[in-house]
Amino acid sequence: MNAREFSAATAGHEVTGAVHSFDLSVGVDGPGTRFVAFLAGCPLRCRYCHSPDTWYRRSGRHRTVDELMAEVAKYRRFIEVAGGGVTVSGGEPLLQPRFTGEVLRRSRDLGLHTALDTSGFLGDRADDALLDATDLVLLDVKSWDPATYRRVTRTGAVAPTVRFGRRLAERGTPIWIRFVLVPGLTDAVANVAGIADYAAGLATVRRVEVLPFHRLGAHKYAELGLTFPLADTAPPTPELLSRVRGQFAERGLSVY
């Protein structure tokens, strides 16, 4: 075994990440039944976030890639039969790009479909090796209008996400666009139209998921002694959902 082979063989023993939790999901975090690793730490503070317990890396447990892959192995056969795979989510997985890349690579080596769930805000941290190991990117586009984006995330701008999505399309990487619809916050016609035009311009977008805002994570804020910013906001009406989904469908996109 030469030096390069030894380095590749031992990489998983040395790389550690802050893992908040992991679970199995069906049809939510990519196709089929999936093992989903939720990493701890996120640079954004989305007003509708339902997992404030994943904001800080200190909220996660430090695990090596080997330790996490041992958990994946327990469900490997079930995942294969169910046509699923492994999704690395968060928090924001690109806050820990080396760990994320190793998990995706090792999962791919097992013959499992791989997905990365990211806001794209830290897309520049994803090197080609990480993306080579990624079969699908779930790209969370928070908003298009600059002022709305800042209201939603409390920081940053949409430009890094836009740049990352275009890079994925140029590479030929399949994309699922995700957009959280919040009445009175993200629902403006022009805001939705901007995302729809952007998604329609990416050749590898396979679907758009319009995710209705909900308050199911409100109890987590209470447990952490935090105020849930959207406690008084109602979920979108069927009429609003229909209008927004229609904006995406009008541009030839498959909408869910």
Side-chain angles (χ1 to χ4, degrees):
M1 179 181 293
N2 61 36
R4 178 175 296 179
E5 291 170 334
F6 178 79
S7 177
T10 60
H13 298 278
E14 301 170 353
V15 180
T16 63
V19 180
H20 178 271
S21 56
F22 50 82
D23 203 353
L24 290 182
S25 73
V26 180
V28 177
D29 301 284
T33 299
R34 308 190 70 81
F35 180 97
V36 186
F38 299 95
L39 306 193
C42 183
L44 306 181
R45 293 293 179 268
C46 298
R47 294 175 65 83
Y48 52 69
C49 180
H50 60 270
S51 300
D53 49 329
T54 67
W55 285 349
Y56 301 102
R57 290 186 64 169
R58 64 176 179 266
S59 66
R61 174 183 170 187
H62 286 278
R63 292 177 177 269
T64 65
V65 174
D66 278 356
E67 288 174 329
L68 187 60
M69 295 310 299
E71 298 295 337
V72 172
K74 296 177 183 178
Y75 305 98
R76 178 183 177 184
R77 181 57 182 160
F78 177 66
I79 291 171
E80 289 176 329
V81 171
V86 173
T87 298
V88 184
S89 184
E92 171 51 66
L94 293 182
L95 196 63
Q96 304 180 62
R98 189 178 176 206
F99 182 79
T100 295
E102 273 299 306
V103 172
L104 292 169
R105 182 186 66 79
R106 292 275 295 274
S107 298
R108 172 75 80 80
D109 288 347
L110 290 176
L112 298 174
H113 180 276
T114 59
L116 172 69
D117 183 5
T118 176
S119 71
F121 184 68
L122 299 178
D124 290 344
R125 295 192 180 188
D127 62 18
D128 288 342
L130 185 154
L131 296 179
D132 285 344
T134 304
D135 294 312
L136 170 69
V137 172
L138 311 176
L139 187 60
D140 304 310
V141 183
K142 308 297 184 179
S143 274
W144 189 259
D145 173 71
T148 303
Y149 187 94
R150 288 191 295 271
R151 284 182 62 206
V152 170
T153 66
R154 303 184 185 182
T155 185
V158 72
T161 299
V162 172
R163 184 167 61 247
F164 185 57
R166 289 173 177 161
R167 178 182 168 204
L168 294 172
E170 290 171 358
R171 289 176 52 88
T173 303
I175 303 169
W176 289 6
I177 296 287
R178 287 177 152 184
F179 169 64
V180 179
L181 176 60
V182 184
L185 181 61
T186 67
D187 60 342
V189 172
N191 187 51
V192 176
I195 301 172
D197 288 341
Y198 169 65
L202 300 178
T204 59
V205 169
R206 301 291 183 257
R207 63 195 283 175
V208 174
E209 296 183 336
V210 178
L211 308 176
F213 163 74
H214 60 73
R215 294 178 293 208
L216 299 180
H219 69 282
K220 296 182 181 179
Y221 286 81
E223 291 169 358
L224 294 169
L226 301 172
T227 299
F228 182 40
L230 300 180
D232 297 325
T233 301
T237 63
E239 292 77 16
L240 179 56
L241 270 171
S242 178
R243 187 266 285 174
V244 170
R245 286 174 172 152
Q247 285 188 259
F248 286 103
E250 287 169 1
R251 287 155 176 81
L253 296 159
S254 297
V255 188
Y256 293 82

